[in-house]
Amino acid sequence: MSFLEPRDIVAFPGGDNSSDTVFGDVHLNKTTLDHWNYTLYSNGTLSNGTVWCALAFAPYQPAAVLDNGTFVNVTWCWAPVKHIEARAGIGVGFAVIFGVALVCNVLSLAKHGKLYLPGEKRFYPIGRRWQWYWGSFTCACAMIALITGVDVDRYYMPELPLVLTSFFWYLMQVGTIALVWEAVRHWGSWMERQFIDPDPFLLRQDDRRSKVEFYLPLLAYLWMWLAFFLIIPRNWENIQFQRFPEQTESVARPSATDGRFKAAPFCQLVAWLLSVYSLWHSIKHYRARDRSIAHRAIHFFSYAPWRFLLILPLALAVIVFQELVAWNFDWSPMKVKGSNVAIYVGGYVPSLLIVVIQSVFGYFNPNEDKELLRQRRVRERNLNQEMGIVNKPGWWNRLNREGLPGESMRDIIARNVREVGGRKPTTQNPEQAVLDRNPDVEAAPANSVEMGPIPEQSLPSPVSAGNLSGARSDARREERTMEPVSGVLFPGQNEGPDAAARRHAELMMDGPIPAQPPPPYEERGRQVLPLGDARSTSEQRSVSVNTETTLTNQPQQQVRSMLDI
């Protein structure tokens, strides 16, 4: 409905008689309009105090009105009947630029989000991708806000397009602050990864540094979510009531400048301060080691990447402008006739520059895994130089490896496997191989568990008698060749009784002299007296001495065989 005051109500234009009124060239029944309480307003709209509203000026006037109050061929008040103005034209240009930035951001995500090293629990792959996720979110919200802003100019009365462009503009602001935070946070994580890559145990995991890095993201997102809940969940319908100046001042302005819009930028400011502190924390622990405050301040600007020296002030500009529009409604994107310079320069340019700087960084900087591999190669080369190790060039292996020309290592391994059989032992028919080598061995019985009968389909095809006899002759010849060798290694294994007797006689011989039987065993040694014998100790000693003399005077025994030992 029009929400116009009584002074904005105008009388119906006169017609042919008292019950006739003319809108353009169309005559309508004035009696029917009065019956259904239709009122004509100064802005050219026709309404009966409900949400129903129609245009009453040429060429959009109704063609007729029925007795039940229904209009024929009517044009609603919320229709895009106007031409594109400056705000819509500038918005289309910004939407194109944000679209190009979105494509570049997605390419950077594909480049820097790709993994070339195994994932680590300490550094999750999604951590490096969050800044590109938030960049894509920011570009998408900006494009929606700018494209829907075209209908803000074209709609005769403000309605849904104004609400959409304001809603997504604030989402773009939240995404911009989150983008800056993730970029700074991940840079610190990347510095830590490079710092501990040579020595994973260089930094502790329970010190103050690790606790600060654990709680900082929680605090930052807490304040960003507070800003989100202060802005987004609200009644946005009052923003569209800007159909005449009095309505704008009484309804739209108080709604666009309430306390929640004024408090949200302070929450985002806390998140921005946490981003600055995160950058200082990373520089302190992974770059500079100075203790004085002056040197730390100097090194903060000397060690901080240029990217952050640019996007952090731009993020602060985003927060400041958001606070300004919460106090000055004339600069706000929520106003239909707001200042275009303030809306685009303060509302869209900082976010666009942040996304562009991020895209440029993503284009020129290498993938982190590739950079880490390069650093490892450099460290390995330096260590080899210190130790005097010279690596052979790449052509050395190609010229000195075994194999055919153009043969890869996989081909060499496959050829070696083919040379040794290349089949499983269970597929080589071990029973048939045993029978071929020894024809006298019988096959295993059918009820055997370990060597049961092999199915007929797995047996080899039958061979001719000539081939079978030839195979057996070869096996027999091989056995005869191995018999002398086995006789030397294991004597007496294949000998009969005569050969055993002959071998025993040979062992008993000592050269040409015939073997002599060993002398009979005699009890030699100390004489043992029976129990109760009264011989003196001196007599026992004399017996012991005589025994030792006898053993000494005997001729030495000559060992002729192993049986004498």
Side-chain angles (χ1 to χ4, degrees), residues 296-440:
R296 289 182 183 180
I298 295 174
H299 285 158
F300 178 83
F301 293 98
S302 60
Y303 284 110
W306 283 100
R307 174 167 59 117
F308 298 143
L309 296 180
L310 294 176
I311 66 175
L312 283 173
L314 290 173
L316 182 60
V318 169
I319 299 173
V320 171
F321 181 78
Q322 188 174 343
E323 183 66 25
L324 288 177
V325 300
W327 294 88
N328 189 355
F329 184 64
D330 295 332
W331 292 356
S332 176
M334 292 185 287
K335 187 176 182 180
V336 177
K337 300 298 181 179
S339 174
N340 294 329
V341 176
I343 291 174
Y344 288 105
V345 174
Y348 287 96
V349 169
S351 300
L352 178 61
L353 291 178
I354 291 174
V355 174
V356 170
I357 292 172
Q358 283 287 109
S359 300
V360 173
F361 154 78
Y363 178 79
F364 286 102
N365 282 42
N367 181 278
E368 294 178 3
D369 286 353
K370 289 185 175 181
E371 176 64 19
L372 208 60
L373 292 173
R374 185 195 65 82
Q375 294 178 9
R376 292 177 181 178
R377 290 193 297 268
V378 171
R379 288 197 301 268
E380 183 180 1
R381 190 185 311 116
N382 294 335
L383 291 176
N384 292 341
Q385 291 178 356
E386 294 177 1
M387 300 177 64
I389 300 175
V390 179
N391 295 327
K392 294 181 176 62
W395 53 266
W396 179 268
N397 294 330
R398 293 194 298 268
L399 295 180
N400 294 275
R401 71 179 184 184
E402 297 181 358
L404 301 176
E407 190 176 20
S408 62
M409 183 58 66
R410 183 173 182 177
D411 297 335
I412 295 174
I413 296 175
R415 178 165 51 80
N416 294 338
V417 172
R418 288 195 299 269
E419 289 178 358
V420 298
R423 294 183 297 169
K424 296 181 179 180
T426 55
T427 61
Q428 295 181 359
N429 198 357
E431 289 186 357
Q432 187 65 28
V434 172
L435 292 176
D436 292 341
R437 287 194 300 269
N438 193 353
D440 299 332

Side-chain angles (χ1 to χ4, degrees), residues 176-207:
T176 303
I177 303 302
L179 164 63
V180 174
W181 157 253
E182 280 297 333
V184 175
R185 181 208 59 81
H186 174 65
W187 182 80
S189 177
W190 167 235
M191 290 294 103
E192 180 187 4
R193 189 180 182 188
Q194 296 179 93
F195 197 79
I196 68 172
D197 187 66
D199 185 5
F201 304 100
L202 186 61
L203 298 176
R204 297 176 55 186
Q205 294 299 307
D206 56 350
D207 55 350

Side-chain angles (χ1 to χ4, degrees), residues 18 86 97 102 104 110 116 167 255 269 326 345 378 391-392 414 461 517 521 557 559:
S18 60
I97 299 175
L102 175 61
C104 297
Y116 295 92
F167 180 84
S255 179
L269 180 62
V345 174
V378 171
N391 295 327
K392 294 181 176 62
S461 59
Y521 178 77
Q557 183 181 358
V559 180

